[in-house]
Amino acid sequence: MHAVQYDSYGGGTSGLKHAEVPIPSPKKGEVLLKLEAAALNPADWKIQKGMFRPLLPRKIPHTPATDVAGEVVEVGQGVQKFKPRDKVVAFLIHANGGGLAEYATARENLTVARPPEVSAVEGAGLPVAGITAHQSLTQAAGVKLDGSGQQKNILITAASRGVGQYAVQLAKLGNTHVTATCGVCNIELVKSLGADKVLDYKSPEGAAPTSPSGRKYVMWSTALPASPGQLLSLI
């Protein structure tokens, strides 16, 4: 199958190479996916740069990307939730990667069904960005997404990016007033996601936003790293 890999640290995009590699076989508790979309995250270029060595990646050459969407084509021993032709979203774990290829294996417990109304591209953008936003809101900021908690004023920076877009929408499920910052060209987009107030981050007000209450904001959008296991709570 076709894959995109790198065989040394550094190099950025010029260090990526097209390669022909065997189609992997699913092990116990895994599914084999024919990939339809993959998303890249900051961790992917940091791993390539060597910022996490010797822990990551597990071996070289490495096929990057962990956030994927695709179709199940084969299931390993013990898999019960999925069958061939199921459409899914999966997280592949950073140690192994594998998302920039035609096929990849994923753990059953890090794979979820993809609803028909969610495209492969939309689904692939969910795992790391969505989990990070969810974890930041519920664990760091203490927002109750059922709206039952005390009202909070929340500032979400870089609100037009992956984590920011999820953070705005999830925050509005809770009892929150959301102030968001982004580039001027994305203000209408962020407003459409539900933010109560959207500021150009280059403007004087956007550079030093104030809370409606005059008190310190509860949350910044990059608060915590994500836990892969929380993928199941998001879909």
Short mmCIF file of all heavy atoms in Angstrom, two decimals, residues 59-129:
data_model
loop_
_atom_site.label_atom_id
_atom_site.label_comp_id
_atom_site.label_asym_id
_atom_site.label_seq_id
_atom_site.Cartn_x
_atom_site.Cartn_y
_atom_site.Cartn_z
N LYS A 59 9.50 3.42 16.32
CA LYS A 59 10.51 2.94 15.39
C LYS A 59 10.56 3.84 14.17
O LYS A 59 9.62 4.57 13.87
CB LYS A 59 10.24 1.49 14.97
CG LYS A 59 8.93 1.28 14.24
CD LYS A 59 8.73 -0.19 13.87
CE LYS A 59 7.40 -0.39 13.12
NZ LYS A 59 7.21 -1.81 12.74
N ILE A 60 11.69 3.80 13.48
CA ILE A 60 11.94 4.54 12.24
C ILE A 60 12.18 3.52 11.14
O ILE A 60 12.89 2.54 11.37
CB ILE A 60 13.16 5.47 12.40
CG1 ILE A 60 12.87 6.58 13.41
CG2 ILE A 60 13.57 6.06 11.07
CD1 ILE A 60 11.93 7.65 12.95
N PRO A 61 11.66 3.68 9.92
CA PRO A 61 10.83 4.79 9.44
C PRO A 61 9.45 4.81 10.11
O PRO A 61 8.95 3.78 10.53
CB PRO A 61 10.74 4.55 7.94
CG PRO A 61 10.97 3.09 7.78
CD PRO A 61 11.92 2.69 8.85
N HIS A 62 8.88 6.01 10.15
CA HIS A 62 7.63 6.22 10.86
C HIS A 62 6.59 6.83 9.92
O HIS A 62 6.90 7.74 9.15
CB HIS A 62 7.86 7.16 12.04
CG HIS A 62 6.63 7.48 12.83
ND1 HIS A 62 5.98 6.55 13.62
CD2 HIS A 62 5.92 8.63 12.95
CE1 HIS A 62 4.94 7.11 14.20
NE2 HIS A 62 4.87 8.37 13.81
N THR A 63 5.37 6.31 9.99
CA THR A 63 4.24 6.87 9.25
C THR A 63 3.44 7.74 10.21
O THR A 63 2.84 7.23 11.15
CB THR A 63 3.34 5.76 8.69
OG1 THR A 63 4.11 4.89 7.86
CG2 THR A 63 2.20 6.36 7.86
N PRO A 64 3.45 9.07 10.04
CA PRO A 64 2.80 9.94 11.02
C PRO A 64 1.28 9.96 10.89
O PRO A 64 0.70 9.40 9.97
CB PRO A 64 3.39 11.32 10.70
CG PRO A 64 3.75 11.25 9.26
CD PRO A 64 4.15 9.82 8.99
N ALA A 65 0.67 10.65 11.86
CA ALA A 65 -0.78 10.92 11.97
C ALA A 65 -1.49 9.85 12.79
O ALA A 65 -1.29 8.65 12.59
CB ALA A 65 -1.45 11.08 10.61
N THR A 66 -2.32 10.33 13.70
CA THR A 66 -3.05 9.44 14.61
C THR A 66 -4.56 9.57 14.52
O THR A 66 -5.28 8.68 14.94
CB THR A 66 -2.65 9.72 16.07
OG1 THR A 66 -2.93 11.10 16.36
CG2 THR A 66 -1.17 9.45 16.30
N ASP A 67 -5.05 10.69 13.99
CA ASP A 67 -6.49 10.95 13.95
C ASP A 67 -7.02 10.59 12.56
O ASP A 67 -6.68 11.25 11.57
CB ASP A 67 -6.77 12.43 14.23
CG ASP A 67 -6.37 12.84 15.63
OD1 ASP A 67 -5.72 12.04 16.32
OD2 ASP A 67 -6.71 13.97 16.04
N VAL A 68 -7.86 9.57 12.49
CA VAL A 68 -8.27 9.05 11.19
C VAL A 68 -9.76 8.73 11.15
O VAL A 68 -10.41 8.54 12.18
CB VAL A 68 -7.48 7.78 10.81
CG1 VAL A 68 -5.99 8.07 10.73
CG2 VAL A 68 -7.75 6.64 11.80
N ALA A 69 -10.26 8.65 9.93
CA ALA A 69 -11.62 8.16 9.68
C ALA A 69 -11.56 7.22 8.49
O ALA A 69 -10.76 7.42 7.57
CB ALA A 69 -12.57 9.32 9.40
N GLY A 70 -12.38 6.19 8.52
CA GLY A 70 -12.36 5.25 7.42
C GLY A 70 -13.40 4.16 7.57
O GLY A 70 -14.37 4.32 8.32
N GLU A 71 -13.16 3.06 6.88
CA GLU A 71 -14.11 1.94 6.86
C GLU A 71 -13.42 0.67 7.34
O GLU A 71 -12.29 0.37 6.93
CB GLU A 71 -14.63 1.74 5.44
CG GLU A 71 -15.66 0.62 5.30
CD GLU A 71 -16.20 0.51 3.89
OE1 GLU A 71 -16.84 1.49 3.43
OE2 GLU A 71 -15.99 -0.53 3.25
N VAL A 72 -14.09 -0.06 8.20
CA VAL A 72 -13.56 -1.33 8.69
C VAL A 72 -13.56 -2.35 7.55
O VAL A 72 -14.58 -2.54 6.88
CB VAL A 72 -14.39 -1.87 9.87
CG1 VAL A 72 -13.88 -3.24 10.32
CG2 VAL A 72 -14.37 -0.88 11.04
N VAL A 73 -12.41 -2.99 7.33
CA VAL A 73 -12.34 -4.03 6.30
C VAL A 73 -12.06 -5.41 6.90
O VAL A 73 -12.32 -6.43 6.26
CB VAL A 73 -11.27 -3.70 5.23
CG1 VAL A 73 -11.67 -2.47 4.46
CG2 VAL A 73 -9.90 -3.53 5.86
N GLU A 74 -11.55 -5.44 8.13
CA GLU A 74 -11.26 -6.72 8.78
C GLU A 74 -11.20 -6.49 10.29
O GLU A 74 -10.79 -5.41 10.74
CB GLU A 74 -9.93 -7.28 8.28
CG GLU A 74 -9.58 -8.67 8.79
CD GLU A 74 -8.25 -9.17 8.26
OE1 GLU A 74 -7.72 -8.57 7.30
OE2 GLU A 74 -7.73 -10.15 8.82
N VAL A 75 -11.60 -7.47 11.06
CA VAL A 75 -11.54 -7.35 12.52
C VAL A 75 -10.66 -8.46 13.09
O VAL A 75 -10.63 -9.58 12.57
CB VAL A 75 -12.94 -7.40 13.17
CG1 VAL A 75 -13.80 -6.25 12.66
CG2 VAL A 75 -13.62 -8.73 12.91
N GLY A 76 -9.94 -8.13 14.15
CA GLY A 76 -9.09 -9.10 14.81
C GLY A 76 -9.87 -9.93 15.82
O GLY A 76 -11.05 -9.68 16.09
N GLN A 77 -9.19 -10.88 16.40
CA GLN A 77 -9.80 -11.77 17.38
C GLN A 77 -10.36 -10.97 18.56
O GLN A 77 -9.73 -10.06 19.07
CB GLN A 77 -8.76 -12.76 17.90
CG GLN A 77 -9.29 -13.75 18.93
CD GLN A 77 -8.19 -14.65 19.46
OE1 GLN A 77 -7.07 -14.65 18.95
NE2 GLN A 77 -8.49 -15.42 20.49
N GLY A 78 -11.57 -11.31 18.96
CA GLY A 78 -12.17 -10.70 20.13
C GLY A 78 -12.91 -9.40 19.89
O GLY A 78 -13.56 -8.87 20.80
N VAL A 79 -12.85 -8.85 18.69
CA VAL A 79 -13.55 -7.59 18.40
C VAL A 79 -15.04 -7.86 18.31
O VAL A 79 -15.48 -8.75 17.58
CB VAL A 79 -13.04 -6.96 17.09
CG1 VAL A 79 -13.91 -5.78 16.69
CG2 VAL A 79 -11.59 -6.53 17.25
N GLN A 80 -15.83 -7.10 19.04
CA GLN A 80 -17.27 -7.33 19.09
C GLN A 80 -18.10 -6.15 18.61
O GLN A 80 -19.23 -6.33 18.16
CB GLN A 80 -17.69 -7.68 20.53
CG GLN A 80 -17.06 -8.95 21.06
CD GLN A 80 -17.51 -9.27 22.47
OE1 GLN A 80 -18.09 -8.44 23.17
NE2 GLN A 80 -17.26 -10.50 22.91
N LYS A 81 -17.55 -4.94 18.69
CA LYS A 81 -18.37 -3.75 18.39
C LYS A 81 -18.43 -3.41 16.91
O LYS A 81 -19.29 -2.64 16.49
CB LYS A 81 -17.83 -2.55 19.17
CG LYS A 81 -17.97 -2.65 20.67
CD LYS A 81 -17.68 -1.32 21.35
CE LYS A 81 -16.28 -0.84 21.09
NZ LYS A 81 -15.98 0.44 21.78
N PHE A 82 -17.51 -3.96 16.11
CA PHE A 82 -17.43 -3.55 14.71
C PHE A 82 -17.37 -4.75 13.78
O PHE A 82 -16.96 -5.84 14.17
CB PHE A 82 -16.19 -2.66 14.49
CG PHE A 82 -16.17 -1.44 15.36
CD1 PHE A 82 -15.34 -1.38 16.46
CD2 PHE A 82 -17.01 -0.36 15.09
CE1 PHE A 82 -15.32 -0.26 17.27
CE2 PHE A 82 -17.01 0.76 15.90
CZ PHE A 82 -16.16 0.81 16.99
N LYS A 83 -17.77 -4.48 12.54
CA LYS A 83 -17.75 -5.50 11.50
C LYS A 83 -17.32 -4.82 10.19
O LYS A 83 -17.36 -3.58 10.09
CB LYS A 83 -19.13 -6.14 11.35
CG LYS A 83 -20.22 -5.19 10.92
CD LYS A 83 -21.57 -5.86 10.90
CE LYS A 83 -22.67 -4.94 10.37
NZ LYS A 83 -22.79 -3.69 11.15
N PRO A 84 -16.91 -5.59 9.19
CA PRO A 84 -16.54 -4.98 7.91
C PRO A 84 -17.64 -4.09 7.35
O PRO A 84 -18.82 -4.36 7.49
CB PRO A 84 -16.29 -6.21 7.02
CG PRO A 84 -15.81 -7.25 7.98
CD PRO A 84 -16.63 -7.04 9.22
N ARG A 85 -17.20 -2.97 6.75
CA ARG A 85 -18.03 -1.95 6.11
C ARG A 85 -18.55 -0.90 7.09
O ARG A 85 -19.19 0.06 6.68
CB ARG A 85 -19.19 -2.56 5.31
CG ARG A 85 -18.72 -3.51 4.21
CD ARG A 85 -19.87 -4.01 3.36
NE ARG A 85 -20.42 -2.93 2.54
CZ ARG A 85 -21.43 -3.10 1.69
NH1 ARG A 85 -22.00 -4.30 1.55
NH2 ARG A 85 -21.87 -2.09 0.97
N ASP A 86 -18.29 -1.06 8.39
CA ASP A 86 -18.66 -0.02 9.34
C ASP A 86 -17.81 1.22 9.12
O ASP A 86 -16.59 1.13 8.92
CB ASP A 86 -18.46 -0.50 10.78
CG ASP A 86 -19.54 -1.46 11.25
OD1 ASP A 86 -20.56 -1.58 10.56
OD2 ASP A 86 -19.34 -2.09 12.31
N LYS A 87 -18.43 2.39 9.15
CA LYS A 87 -17.72 3.66 9.06
C LYS A 87 -17.35 4.11 10.47
O LYS A 87 -18.20 4.13 11.37
CB LYS A 87 -18.60 4.72 8.39
CG LYS A 87 -19.00 4.39 6.96
CD LYS A 87 -17.82 4.49 6.01
CE LYS A 87 -18.26 4.35 4.56
NZ LYS A 87 -17.13 4.49 3.61
N VAL A 88 -16.08 4.49 10.67
CA VAL A 88 -15.61 4.78 12.02
C VAL A 88 -14.65 5.97 12.05
O VAL A 88 -14.14 6.42 11.02
CB VAL A 88 -14.89 3.55 12.62
CG1 VAL A 88 -15.83 2.36 12.73
CG2 VAL A 88 -13.65 3.19 11.80
N VAL A 89 -14.40 6.44 13.28
CA VAL A 89 -13.34 7.39 13.60
C VAL A 89 -12.44 6.70 14.61
O VAL A 89 -12.93 5.99 15.50
CB VAL A 89 -13.91 8.69 14.21
CG1 VAL A 89 -12.79 9.60 14.70
CG2 VAL A 89 -14.78 9.41 13.19
N ALA A 90 -11.12 6.89 14.50
CA ALA A 90 -10.21 6.20 15.41
C ALA A 90 -9.01 7.06 15.76
O ALA A 90 -8.62 7.96 15.02
CB ALA A 90 -9.74 4.88 14.78
N PHE A 91 -8.42 6.74 16.91
CA PHE A 91 -7.16 7.33 17.36
C PHE A 91 -6.12 6.22 17.36
O PHE A 91 -6.33 5.17 17.96
CB PHE A 91 -7.31 7.92 18.77
CG PHE A 91 -6.05 8.53 19.30
CD1 PHE A 91 -5.66 9.80 18.93
CD2 PHE A 91 -5.23 7.81 20.17
CE1 PHE A 91 -4.49 10.36 19.42
CE2 PHE A 91 -4.06 8.36 20.66
CZ PHE A 91 -3.69 9.63 20.28
N LEU A 92 -4.98 6.43 16.69
CA LEU A 92 -4.01 5.36 16.46
C LEU A 92 -2.87 5.30 17.46
O LEU A 92 -2.02 4.43 17.34
CB LEU A 92 -3.42 5.50 15.05
CG LEU A 92 -4.43 5.50 13.89
CD1 LEU A 92 -3.70 5.60 12.56
CD2 LEU A 92 -5.31 4.25 13.92
N ILE A 93 -2.78 6.18 18.41
CA ILE A 93 -1.71 6.36 19.41
C ILE A 93 -0.42 6.82 18.74
O ILE A 93 -0.04 6.35 17.67
CB ILE A 93 -1.47 5.15 20.33
CG1 ILE A 93 -0.73 4.02 19.64
CG2 ILE A 93 -2.76 4.68 20.95
CD1 ILE A 93 -0.30 2.92 20.59
N HIS A 94 0.25 7.76 19.39
CA HIS A 94 1.41 8.42 18.80
C HIS A 94 2.61 7.50 18.63
O HIS A 94 3.45 7.72 17.74
CB HIS A 94 1.80 9.64 19.64
CG HIS A 94 0.83 10.77 19.53
ND1 HIS A 94 -0.04 11.10 20.54
CD2 HIS A 94 0.56 11.63 18.51
CE1 HIS A 94 -0.77 12.13 20.16
NE2 HIS A 94 -0.43 12.46 18.94
N ALA A 95 2.75 6.49 19.48
CA ALA A 95 3.92 5.62 19.38
C ALA A 95 3.98 4.90 18.04
O ALA A 95 5.06 4.68 17.49
CB ALA A 95 3.90 4.59 20.51
N ASN A 96 2.81 4.55 17.50
CA ASN A 96 2.77 3.81 16.24
C ASN A 96 2.40 4.67 15.04
O ASN A 96 2.86 4.42 13.93
CB ASN A 96 1.77 2.66 16.35
CG ASN A 96 2.17 1.65 17.41
OD1 ASN A 96 3.34 1.45 17.67
ND2 ASN A 96 1.18 1.03 18.04
N GLY A 97 1.55 5.69 15.23
CA GLY A 97 1.10 6.49 14.10
C GLY A 97 0.42 5.63 13.06
O GLY A 97 -0.28 4.67 13.38
N GLY A 98 0.61 5.98 11.78
CA GLY A 98 0.07 5.16 10.70
C GLY A 98 -1.02 5.81 9.88
O GLY A 98 -1.53 5.21 8.94
N GLY A 99 -1.40 7.06 10.21
CA GLY A 99 -2.54 7.68 9.55
C GLY A 99 -2.32 8.11 8.11
O GLY A 99 -3.27 8.20 7.35
N LEU A 100 -1.07 8.39 7.73
CA LEU A 100 -0.81 8.82 6.35
C LEU A 100 -0.51 7.60 5.48
O LEU A 100 0.60 7.41 4.97
CB LEU A 100 0.34 9.82 6.30
CG LEU A 100 0.11 11.14 7.04
CD1 LEU A 100 1.24 12.13 6.74
CD2 LEU A 100 -1.23 11.77 6.66
N ALA A 101 -1.51 6.76 5.34
CA ALA A 101 -1.39 5.53 4.56
C ALA A 101 -2.77 5.12 4.07
O ALA A 101 -3.78 5.71 4.47
CB ALA A 101 -0.76 4.42 5.40
N GLU A 102 -2.81 4.12 3.21
CA GLU A 102 -4.09 3.66 2.69
C GLU A 102 -4.85 2.81 3.71
O GLU A 102 -6.09 2.81 3.72
CB GLU A 102 -3.87 2.86 1.41
CG GLU A 102 -3.37 3.70 0.24
CD GLU A 102 -3.23 2.88 -1.02
OE1 GLU A 102 -2.18 2.22 -1.18
OE2 GLU A 102 -4.18 2.87 -1.83
N TYR A 103 -4.11 2.09 4.55
CA TYR A 103 -4.72 1.23 5.56
C TYR A 103 -3.99 1.41 6.89
O TYR A 103 -2.79 1.74 6.91
CB TYR A 103 -4.65 -0.25 5.16
CG TYR A 103 -5.45 -0.61 3.93
CD1 TYR A 103 -4.90 -0.46 2.66
CD2 TYR A 103 -6.75 -1.11 4.04
CE1 TYR A 103 -5.62 -0.79 1.52
CE2 TYR A 103 -7.48 -1.44 2.90
CZ TYR A 103 -6.92 -1.28 1.65
OH TYR A 103 -7.64 -1.60 0.53
N ALA A 104 -4.69 1.18 7.99
CA ALA A 104 -4.08 1.23 9.31
C ALA A 104 -4.88 0.37 10.27
O ALA A 104 -6.08 0.16 10.07
CB ALA A 104 -4.02 2.67 9.83
N THR A 105 -4.22 -0.13 11.30
CA THR A 105 -4.92 -0.87 12.35
C THR A 105 -5.16 0.05 13.54
O THR A 105 -4.32 0.90 13.86
CB THR A 105 -4.13 -2.10 12.80
OG1 THR A 105 -2.80 -1.70 13.19
CG2 THR A 105 -4.05 -3.13 11.70
N ALA A 106 -6.31 -0.13 14.18
CA ALA A 106 -6.67 0.68 15.34
C ALA A 106 -7.22 -0.22 16.44
O ALA A 106 -7.83 -1.25 16.16
CB ALA A 106 -7.72 1.72 14.96
N ARG A 107 -6.99 0.17 17.68
CA ARG A 107 -7.54 -0.58 18.80
C ARG A 107 -9.06 -0.40 18.84
O ARG A 107 -9.57 0.70 18.61
CB ARG A 107 -6.94 -0.09 20.11
CG ARG A 107 -5.44 -0.31 20.24
CD ARG A 107 -4.93 0.26 21.55
NE ARG A 107 -3.49 0.11 21.68
CZ ARG A 107 -2.78 0.58 22.70
NH1 ARG A 107 -3.41 1.23 23.68
NH2 ARG A 107 -1.48 0.41 22.75
N GLU A 108 -9.75 -1.46 19.15
CA GLU A 108 -11.21 -1.38 19.23
C GLU A 108 -11.65 -0.34 20.25
O GLU A 108 -12.62 0.40 20.01
CB GLU A 108 -11.80 -2.74 19.59
CG GLU A 108 -13.32 -2.74 19.66
CD GLU A 108 -13.90 -4.07 20.11
OE1 GLU A 108 -13.17 -4.84 20.77
OE2 GLU A 108 -15.07 -4.34 19.81
N ASN A 109 -10.95 -0.26 21.38
CA ASN A 109 -11.38 0.66 22.44
C ASN A 109 -11.03 2.12 22.15
O ASN A 109 -11.39 3.01 22.92
CB ASN A 109 -10.81 0.24 23.79
CG ASN A 109 -9.29 0.34 23.86
OD1 ASN A 109 -8.62 0.40 22.83
ND2 ASN A 109 -8.75 0.35 25.06
N LEU A 110 -10.31 2.38 21.03
CA LEU A 110 -10.03 3.75 20.61
C LEU A 110 -10.69 4.04 19.27
O LEU A 110 -10.25 4.92 18.52
CB LEU A 110 -8.52 3.98 20.53
CG LEU A 110 -7.76 3.91 21.86
CD1 LEU A 110 -6.27 4.13 21.63
CD2 LEU A 110 -8.31 4.92 22.86
N THR A 111 -11.74 3.30 18.97
CA THR A 111 -12.48 3.44 17.72
C THR A 111 -13.95 3.61 18.04
O THR A 111 -14.47 2.96 18.95
CB THR A 111 -12.28 2.19 16.83
OG1 THR A 111 -10.88 1.99 16.61
CG2 THR A 111 -12.99 2.34 15.50
N VAL A 112 -14.62 4.50 17.31
CA VAL A 112 -16.05 4.72 17.52
C VAL A 112 -16.76 4.77 16.18
O VAL A 112 -16.16 5.09 15.15
CB VAL A 112 -16.32 6.03 18.29
CG1 VAL A 112 -15.82 5.94 19.72
CG2 VAL A 112 -15.70 7.22 17.58
N ALA A 113 -18.05 4.45 16.19
CA ALA A 113 -18.85 4.51 14.97
C ALA A 113 -19.00 5.95 14.52
O ALA A 113 -19.14 6.87 15.34
CB ALA A 113 -20.21 3.88 15.22
N ARG A 114 -18.96 6.17 13.20
CA ARG A 114 -19.15 7.50 12.64
C ARG A 114 -20.56 7.62 12.08
O ARG A 114 -20.93 6.88 11.17
CB ARG A 114 -18.11 7.76 11.54
CG ARG A 114 -18.30 9.07 10.79
CD ARG A 114 -17.04 9.48 10.04
NE ARG A 114 -16.58 8.48 9.10
CZ ARG A 114 -16.96 8.41 7.82
NH1 ARG A 114 -17.83 9.28 7.34
NH2 ARG A 114 -16.48 7.47 7.03
N PRO A 115 -21.36 8.54 12.62
CA PRO A 115 -22.73 8.72 12.13
C PRO A 115 -22.74 9.11 10.65
O PRO A 115 -21.80 9.76 10.17
CB PRO A 115 -23.27 9.86 13.00
CG PRO A 115 -22.40 9.88 14.21
CD PRO A 115 -21.05 9.45 13.73
N PRO A 116 -23.79 8.75 9.92
CA PRO A 116 -23.85 9.04 8.48
C PRO A 116 -23.74 10.53 8.16
O PRO A 116 -23.21 10.90 7.10
CB PRO A 116 -25.23 8.49 8.07
CG PRO A 116 -25.57 7.48 9.11
CD PRO A 116 -24.95 7.96 10.37
N GLU A 117 -24.22 11.39 9.06
CA GLU A 117 -24.19 12.82 8.78
C GLU A 117 -22.82 13.45 9.01
O GLU A 117 -22.61 14.63 8.70
CB GLU A 117 -25.23 13.55 9.64
CG GLU A 117 -24.99 13.49 11.14
CD GLU A 117 -25.62 12.29 11.81
OE1 GLU A 117 -25.93 11.30 11.10
OE2 GLU A 117 -25.80 12.34 13.04
N VAL A 118 -21.86 12.68 9.54
CA VAL A 118 -20.51 13.18 9.77
C VAL A 118 -19.59 12.67 8.66
O VAL A 118 -19.45 11.46 8.48
CB VAL A 118 -19.97 12.72 11.14
CG1 VAL A 118 -18.53 13.18 11.34
CG2 VAL A 118 -20.86 13.26 12.26
N SER A 119 -18.99 13.58 7.91
CA SER A 119 -18.10 13.18 6.82
C SER A 119 -16.80 12.62 7.37
O SER A 119 -16.45 12.84 8.54
CB SER A 119 -17.81 14.37 5.90
OG SER A 119 -16.96 15.30 6.55
N ALA A 120 -16.04 11.94 6.51
CA ALA A 120 -14.75 11.42 6.93
C ALA A 120 -13.81 12.54 7.35
O ALA A 120 -13.08 12.43 8.34
CB ALA A 120 -14.13 10.59 5.81
N VAL A 121 -13.82 13.64 6.61
CA VAL A 121 -12.95 14.78 6.94
C VAL A 121 -13.33 15.36 8.29
O VAL A 121 -12.46 15.66 9.13
CB VAL A 121 -13.04 15.85 5.84
CG1 VAL A 121 -12.32 17.13 6.27
CG2 VAL A 121 -12.43 15.32 4.54
N GLU A 122 -14.61 15.53 8.54
CA GLU A 122 -15.05 16.06 9.84
C GLU A 122 -14.68 15.10 10.97
O GLU A 122 -14.23 15.52 12.04
CB GLU A 122 -16.56 16.28 9.82
CG GLU A 122 -17.01 17.41 8.90
CD GLU A 122 -18.52 17.43 8.69
OE1 GLU A 122 -19.16 16.36 8.78
OE2 GLU A 122 -19.05 18.52 8.42
N GLY A 123 -14.87 13.81 10.73
CA GLY A 123 -14.57 12.83 11.77
C GLY A 123 -13.09 12.77 12.11
O GLY A 123 -12.71 12.66 13.28
N ALA A 124 -12.23 12.85 11.09
CA ALA A 124 -10.79 12.77 11.33
C ALA A 124 -10.29 13.96 12.15
O ALA A 124 -9.26 13.86 12.82
CB ALA A 124 -10.04 12.69 10.01
N GLY A 125 -11.00 15.06 12.10
CA GLY A 125 -10.59 16.23 12.87
C GLY A 125 -10.99 16.19 14.32
O GLY A 125 -10.68 17.12 15.08
N LEU A 126 -11.67 15.14 14.75
CA LEU A 126 -12.21 15.09 16.10
C LEU A 126 -11.25 14.67 17.21
O LEU A 126 -11.15 15.35 18.23
CB LEU A 126 -13.44 14.18 16.13
CG LEU A 126 -14.02 13.89 17.52
CD1 LEU A 126 -14.56 15.17 18.15
CD2 LEU A 126 -15.10 12.83 17.46
N PRO A 127 -10.53 13.54 17.10
CA PRO A 127 -9.92 12.95 18.29
C PRO A 127 -9.08 13.88 19.16
O PRO A 127 -9.47 14.20 20.29
CB PRO A 127 -9.09 11.80 17.72
CG PRO A 127 -9.87 11.38 16.51
CD PRO A 127 -10.36 12.67 15.92
N VAL A 128 -7.92 14.34 18.71
CA VAL A 128 -7.05 15.13 19.58
C VAL A 128 -7.65 16.51 19.87
O VAL A 128 -7.71 16.95 21.02
CB VAL A 128 -5.64 15.27 18.97
CG1 VAL A 128 -4.84 16.33 19.71
CG2 VAL A 128 -4.91 13.93 19.05
N ALA A 129 -8.13 17.20 18.83
CA ALA A 129 -8.67 18.55 19.04
C ALA A 129 -9.93 18.51 19.90
O ALA A 129 -10.09 19.30 20.84
CB ALA A 129 -8.98 19.20 17.70
#
